[in-house]
Amino acid sequence: MVSIVGIVLSLLLLMYLAYRDVSVLVLAPLCALMAVLFDGNLPLLATYTQIFMVSVGQFISAFFPLFLLGAIFGKLMEDSGAAAKIADVIIQRLGKQRTMMAVVLSCAILTYGGVSLFVVVFAVFPLASSLFQQANIPRRLIPAAIALGSFTFTMTAMPGTPQIQNQIPMQFFRTNSFAAPGLGLIGSLIMFSLGMLWLNSRVAAAKRNEEGFGLIQNSEAEVEDGKAENVDNNLPSTASAFAPLICVIGLNFILSQYIIPTWNADYLASEQFGKTELARVLGTWSTILSLVSALVLTIALHFRSVQKLKDSLALGAQSSLLPVFNTACEYGYGNTIKSLAGFAVVQKFVTGIAPGNPLISEAIAVNSLAAMTGSASGGLSIALKTLGETYYQRGIEAGINPELLHRVASMACGGLDSLPHNGAVITLLLICGVTHRQGYKDVGMVSVLCPVAATVTVIFLGTIFGSF
C-alpha cells in the first residue's frame, strides 16, 4: 500500500512541477527515487545507477539518431527558406482561414508516411511558425496543432499507420496494421473533427481578443546576436521546397516495405549486435536512411554557402540535445516505476477491471499504464505483454474479433499518455518555445480528451456491431 502511495505521489508531483516548467532533467530522477523510498524494497543508489540511468542510456542509444537528424532536417528546411515556401504555397491553396488545418494535415501526412513523431515535430515547426505568423495566429497554439496531426489519429487509429503504437498489438492478436479499418477510420474522424473544432474555436477567441502571433523568437538555439536568422527574401521554387519532404515520406515507405525486409540480417542475432532481429530495427533504419537522403537533397538544392551550411548544421545538432535528454529521463522514470512492487499491484488491479468485457478492461489497463509510464508505447507494451494472451482468449470466448481488440488497444494507448509529464509533450513544447502554462491546455484537449472520446465511441460501436 505504501508503495502505491509513493507511485501516485511521485506521478502527481512530476506532472505538477513539469506543468510549472521545472526541468525534467532534475524532476524525473528525483520523483522516481521518491517512489523508490516509499517502496522500501530497492536500494536507492543502485536503482538510480542501474535502472534509471541505464534506461536513459537505452533510450538515447535507440533514438538519438532520430532526434539529431530530425532537428538538423528541420533547421535546414527553415534556413533554406523551404519551410517558408511550403507555408506560402499552403496559404495560397487553402487560404489563411485554414492555416490550422494546413498544419494538422502536414503533420498527419508525415506521420502516416512513417516518419517518427519526434522527427515530425522538428520538421514541421518551422513550417507551422511561418504559417501562423502569416495568419497572425498565437504562437501558443502551434503545439496543439502539431499534436493533433502527430500524436492522435495517425499514431493509433488510421488503418495501416506504420507508427509503433499500431504495430505492437499485431504479435499479440495475430492481426496486421489494417485491423478493423472501418472503426479505425471512424475513430480518426472523431479525433480530427473534435480537435479541429476546438482549435478553430481557440483561434476565433484569440481574434476576438486581438491576440496575434506575438514576438518572433528562436525556439531552441539563438544566433550570437540574439536574433533569429532571417530567411532569404528569394524563396526556393515549389518543387525544390517540397522535394525533401517527399523524399522522407516516399523513401521511408520504400525502404521499410520493400528494400530493408529483403536484407539478410542474421548477424543481428549475435551478442555483438544485441541479440535482436531485423523487424525490431526496421523502422529506425528506414527513418535514418530516408532522413540522411533528405538532408543530402536539401543541401544540394538549397545551400551554396559553406559557412551558412556549417551554422545550420551546428544549430540543428545543438537543438536536439535537450529534447532527447528530457524524453530519455521520462523513459527512465517510467522504467523505474515499473520495477517497484506497487506497480505490479496497480497493474493487476487495472487489468482486472470489467473482466466480462475484454474491450473495456483492455482500454482501461492500457490507458492507465500509459499514464503511469508517460509513454503510449510503454503502457501498451506492458499491458499486452502481461495480459495480451488473456485478452485474446477472452475475446475469442466472447465472440470478439481480434482485429477489434487490436484497434481498441492501439487507440487506448494514445489518451492519458499525453499528460503533462509525457516526454513527447515536453519535447513538443520545448521545440515550439511555449511553456506548459501557455500551451498545455490546448495540447491536452486534442491529445487526451479527443482520443479518449474516440476510443469510447469505438468500444461502443464494436460492442454493438462487432469489428468492421
Side-chain angles (χ1 to χ4, degrees):
M1 183 62 184
V2 176
S3 180
I4 297 175
V5 172
I7 291 174
V8 173
L9 286 178
S10 76
L11 183 60
L12 293 176
L13 185 64
L14 179 61
M15 287 191 289
Y16 174 74
L17 293 178
Y19 186 83
R20 298 183 69 85
D21 301 309
V22 178
S23 173
V24 174
L25 295 177
V26 177
L27 275 182
L30 289 180
C31 289
L33 294 179
M34 185 185 82
V36 173
L37 280 176
F38 272 84
D39 181 78
N41 293 313
L42 297 176
L44 197 65
L45 190 58
T47 301
Y48 175 68
T49 60
Q50 305 307 118
I51 297 179
F52 182 88
M53 286 308 303
V54 168
S55 298
V56 170
Q58 289 172 344
F59 184 91
I60 292 175
S61 68
F63 294 105
F64 179 65
L66 302 185
F67 277 77
L68 176 65
L69 294 173
I72 293 175
F73 179 62
K75 186 62 178 171
L76 292 184
M77 290 290 287
E78 178 183 17
D79 290 351
S80 67
K85 180 62 178 181
I86 294 172
D88 185 57
V89 171
I90 292 175
I91 285 293
Q92 290 179 16
R93 298 292 187 274
L94 297 179
K96 290 185 178 180
Q97 71 276 13
R98 295 189 180 88
T99 292
M100 191 65 71
M101 180 180 290
V103 173
V104 172
L105 292 179
S106 298
C107 294
I109 291 170
L110 285 170
T111 309
Y112 196 59
V115 180
S116 167
L117 305 180
F118 295 107
V119 174
V120 172
V121 175
F122 280 111
V124 173
F125 171 68
L127 164 63
S129 183
S130 296
L131 287 172
F132 274 55
Q133 184 181 339
Q134 289 185 45
N136 201 30
I137 297 174
R139 180 193 186 97
R140 60 180 173 81
L141 295 177
I142 293 179
I146 294 176
L148 178 58
S150 305
F151 299 171
T152 60
F153 60 98
T154 51
M155 184 179 83
T156 64
M158 284 291 288
T161 176
Q163 298 301 325
I164 190 64
Q165 291 80 4
N166 187 46
Q167 305 295 312
I168 291 173
M170 295 192 302
Q171 58 181 306
F172 298 98
F173 300 125
R174 292 76 161 172
T175 52
N176 58 47
S177 62
F178 290 89
L183 289 170
L185 289 172
I186 291 173
S188 299
L189 182 61
I190 292 172
M191 292 185 215
F192 176 75
S193 300
L194 291 179
M196 287 304 305
L197 283 173
W198 173 260
L199 292 179
N200 286 332
S201 70
R202 297 290 282 169
V203 172
K207 289 184 177 179
R208 288 195 299 270
N209 296 329
E210 298 183 349
E211 180 186 2
F213 183 81
L215 294 176
I216 302 173
Q217 58 181 344
N218 262 358
S219 62
E220 277 295 293
E222 296 181 351
V223 282
E224 293 178 359
D225 63 356
K227 297 181 180 179
E229 183 177 346
N230 293 324
V231 178
D232 294 338
N233 292 327
N234 298 322
L235 297 179
S237 66
T238 301
S240 63
F242 276 94
L245 285 180
I246 295 173
C247 176
V248 170
I249 297 175
L251 196 57
N252 194 16
F253 177 79
I254 293 172
L255 286 167
S256 62
Q257 297 297 316
Y258 300 108
I259 297 180
I260 296 181
T262 65
W263 293 357
N264 181 8
D266 294 339
Y267 54 85
L268 291 175
S270 67
E271 183 76 30
Q272 183 179 8
F273 295 103
K275 292 184 177 180
T276 187
E277 56 186 350
L278 184 60
R280 293 184 179 275
V281 298
L282 175 63
T284 301
W285 285 7
S286 62
T287 303
I288 289 175
L289 290 175
S290 60
L291 277 172
V292 169
S293 300
L295 287 175
V296 172
L297 181 61
T298 305
I299 293 170
L301 289 174
H302 303 298
F303 285 84
R304 296 294 177 268
S305 168
V306 175
Q307 186 59 47
K308 181 180 179 181
L309 174 59
K310 287 169 58 180
D311 292 342
S312 296
L313 290 174
L315 290 173
Q318 292 170 17
S319 69
S320 70
L321 298 179
L322 189 55
V324 73
F325 274 94
N326 274 338
T327 311
C329 284
E330 286 288 349
Y331 182 77
Y333 171 84
N335 274 355
T336 303
I337 296 299
K338 188 174 66 174
S339 68
L340 303 180
F343 184 82
V345 177
V346 174
Q347 179 179 312
K348 183 177 180 181
F349 172 75
V350 298
T351 53
I353 297 175
N357 189 330
L359 297 177
I360 297 176
S361 175
E362 178 185 54
I364 293 175
V366 171
N367 236 325
S368 300
L369 295 175
M372 292 182 65
T373 58
S375 167
S377 58
L380 180 61
S381 297
I382 294 169
L384 294 187
K385 284 179 181 178
T386 305
L387 282 175
E389 188 62 29
T390 300
Y391 287 135
Y392 179 77
Q393 294 301 331
R394 285 182 185 177
I396 295 297
E397 293 171 2
I400 297 175
N401 191 318
E403 290 194 6
L404 181 54
L405 289 167
H406 173 131
R407 187 53 54 208
V408 169
S410 180
M411 291 179 62
C413 78
L416 298 182
D417 70 303
S418 296
L419 293 174
H421 66 300
N422 175 271
V425 170
I426 292 173
T427 297
L428 171 63
L429 294 172
L430 181 66
I431 292 170
C432 295
V434 176
T435 67
H436 272 77
R437 285 187 175 184
Q438 293 171 328
Y440 182 74
K441 175 182 178 180
D442 300 298
V443 172
M445 285 296 298
V446 302
S447 64
V448 176
L449 295 185
C450 292
V452 168
T455 303
V456 170
T457 303
V458 167
I459 292 174
F460 175 76
L461 294 176
T463 300
I464 296 176
F465 301 108
S467 178
F468 59 89

